[in-house]
Amino acid sequence: MDHAGAWWQTAAELRGPARDWIPQAQRPLAWTPLLASADWMTHGARLMLASAVDEAAGALTEAPARLSEWSDRQDLARVGADSAGWRALALAGHGIELAAPFLDNEVIRACLAVPADERGAPGAYKPLLDAAFAGSRVLPGFVLARTTKGGFNALAYAGLRDNAPLLKDLLGPSSQLAALGLVTEQPVADALARATAGQPTAQGALHLVVAAEVWLRQHSAAPAVWWDEVGGRVAAV
């Protein structure tokens, strides 16, 4: 299925009933997979999102031919946005300047010049990195030799458990997302309950919903500012 066809299929899923939650890794690969947050939306919000997806699919003129091209681009955009946020937090909170050299334009261009199916190999861990830096002393040897990656799930679940009362209050009856008809309260409460009990839950979707709720509350609490032109000059009010 091509990119546009996959988006039309996604729109059709949004018009159907919300799905029961299962880990994202158990769902089929897709050009734009729906997170659990899509199943927490009200029916009206799902219909509006489906219309937007239909419109985007109809306007798609230069769709990539392969899923890897699309996913690489989306992953880069996500990691870049996350790194920018982490940099601001590290600098403001701890005075630490965060560096992300693997996101430099020249590094990205060099990696994308290699077809996606040639960037990995069953018997090698990060072969491009090894080919670029082996023997250069730029990276420590243990970085090139490692074959595993650290996980932070335990810390994430500990944070969800420790902050469960605050999160329940944030996403409960006083939720602005719920007031706007964007999410329904019970599925979110169920996801938080699973996290509190140490059971697998939709961490990514919870992160997005919490971020959106916090943004809405900060936005509504911020002083109103607008610009107007007065007598040939611009004034701020």
Side-chain angles (χ1 to χ4, degrees):
M1 181 180 297
D2 64 9
H3 196 169
W7 278 2
W8 278 314
Q9 180 176 315
T10 297
E13 288 183 32
L14 287 166
R15 291 189 173 91
R19 308 163 301 177
D20 292 331
W21 181 78
I22 60 172
Q24 197 70 25
Q26 295 181 18
R27 297 196 182 279
L29 288 174
W31 287 92
T32 307
L34 290 174
L35 298 181
S37 47
D39 298 303
W40 301 342
M41 292 178 177
T42 61
H43 184 62
R46 287 168 63 88
L47 291 180
M48 286 190 290
L49 181 56
S51 296
V53 174
D54 271 337
E55 183 177 348
L60 196 61
T61 57
E62 297 182 3
R66 305 176 69 179
L67 179 61
S68 59
E69 298 173 16
W70 168 256
S71 60
D72 287 345
R73 192 161 58 198
Q74 296 302 301
D75 286 344
L76 277 172
R78 174 180 52 80
V79 172
D82 287 348
S83 297
W86 295 332
R87 179 179 182 275
L89 291 172
L91 194 59
H94 306 284
I96 298 174
E97 181 67 48
L98 179 67
F102 293 158
L103 293 177
D104 286 351
N105 287 336
E106 290 187 12
V107 175
I108 292 173
R109 291 191 190 101
C111 292
L112 293 183
V114 180
D117 53 0
E118 296 179 17
R119 290 181 215 143
Y125 188 78
K126 297 188 176 179
L128 286 187
L129 190 69
D130 185 62
F133 292 104
S136 67
R137 297 187 179 180
V138 174
L139 292 178
F142 71 86
V143 173
L144 298 176
R146 73 176 187 171
T147 57
T148 59
K149 187 173 181 63
F152 303 96
N153 274 354
L155 293 174
Y157 277 99
L160 287 169
R161 183 177 60 253
D162 293 346
N163 294 282
L166 177 62
L167 293 172
K168 288 178 181 177
D169 180 66
L170 190 71
L171 300 173
S174 64
S175 167
Q176 293 197 21
L177 287 172
L180 291 171
L182 296 176
V183 299
T184 50
E185 182 182 342
Q186 192 57 51
V188 180
D190 291 342
L192 286 173
R194 283 195 297 270
T196 304
Q199 298 174 349
T201 194
Q203 287 188 44
L206 278 174
H207 171 81
L208 294 175
V209 170
V210 169
E213 180 69 32
V214 170
W215 179 85
L216 273 175
R217 294 190 182 213
Q218 290 176 337
H219 180 71
S220 62
V225 176
W226 70 91
W227 293 90
D228 197 4
E229 187 172 343
V230 181
R233 62 186 177 86
V234 176
V237 180

